[in-house]
Amino acid sequence: YIDSGTTTAELIVPELLAHKDLLVVTNSLPVFDRLQACDGVRLYGLGGIYMPITRSFTGAEVVKALESTRFNKAFLGASAVSAEFGASNSLSYEIEIKRTAVSVADKVIVMADVDKLGRQAAMRICGTDRLDVLVTNAAPEGSHAAAELQLLEMAGIQVLCE
């Protein structure tokens, strides 16, 4: 599963597309657009209410479709990530989709820019106990974000910096 958001759309790199017989489920129009013509990718788009601000589909239809699936990996965007609170989001119409994706995924990978680290948004997606990997950009040495990355690693989360 690949979630909506600008950071998750960046996941579509040649290395990902090198996999043959890849099944991708998404509610993101940008992700769908980038993958729809790729050979070897089976693409399943989740429909619902279209939200222009996120260029994604939301609503009960998306949640219901996710509840009946199982994913090896869920790639999620987040408004904030902290060792104390976990991954969180500020958009109420996305939260149940993200929480459901976490509940049906074997591995949860959160993608967040370094400026989102050490912060908390209004609604928790999941605690650090459900986060397996954090993909982010490099934090300046000695910064608050660098200290937060260390705390996340101590919580057992694999941190990958671009």
Side-chain angles (χ1 to χ4, degrees), residues 92-139:
S92 61
Y93 55 85
E94 290 186 338
I95 197 67
E96 282 308 312
I97 293 168
K98 293 175 185 290
R99 287 176 179 161
T100 304
V102 167
S103 74
V104 300
D106 294 330
K107 189 171 191 176
V108 177
I109 299 136
V110 171
M111 306 177 73
D113 296 330
V114 72
D115 60 337
K116 297 177 180 180
L117 301 182
R119 301 176 185 265
Q120 297 176 9
M123 293 159 281
R124 178 184 280 173
I125 298 167
C126 65
T128 55
D129 60 317
R130 279 297 285 134
L131 296 180
D132 297 294
V133 180
L134 169 67
V135 179
T136 189
N137 45 331

Side-chain angles (χ1 to χ4, degrees), residues 25-84:
V25 177
T26 188
N27 64 323
S28 168
L29 192 55
V31 170
F32 192 92
D33 284 345
R34 291 183 77 178
L35 291 175
Q36 54 92 18
C38 295
D39 292 335
V41 175
R42 292 179 295 143
L43 188 57
Y44 184 81
L46 300 175
I49 302 165
Y50 181 68
M51 301 301 290
I53 193 166
T54 58
R55 298 193 62 216
S56 66
F57 295 91
T58 65
E61 300 90 345
V62 176
V63 172
K64 186 174 181 177
L66 288 173
E67 287 173 339
S68 65
T69 59
R70 187 79 191 156
F71 302 117
N72 293 333
K73 296 175 184 159
F75 295 89
L76 303 176
S79 301
V81 179
S82 74
E84 179 183 345

Side-chain angles (χ1 to χ4, degrees), residues 138-154:
E141 196 170 315
S143 68
H144 174 73
E148 190 68 28
L149 287 175
Q150 287 182 333
L151 291 172
L152 290 163
E153 286 179 323
M154 288 175 21

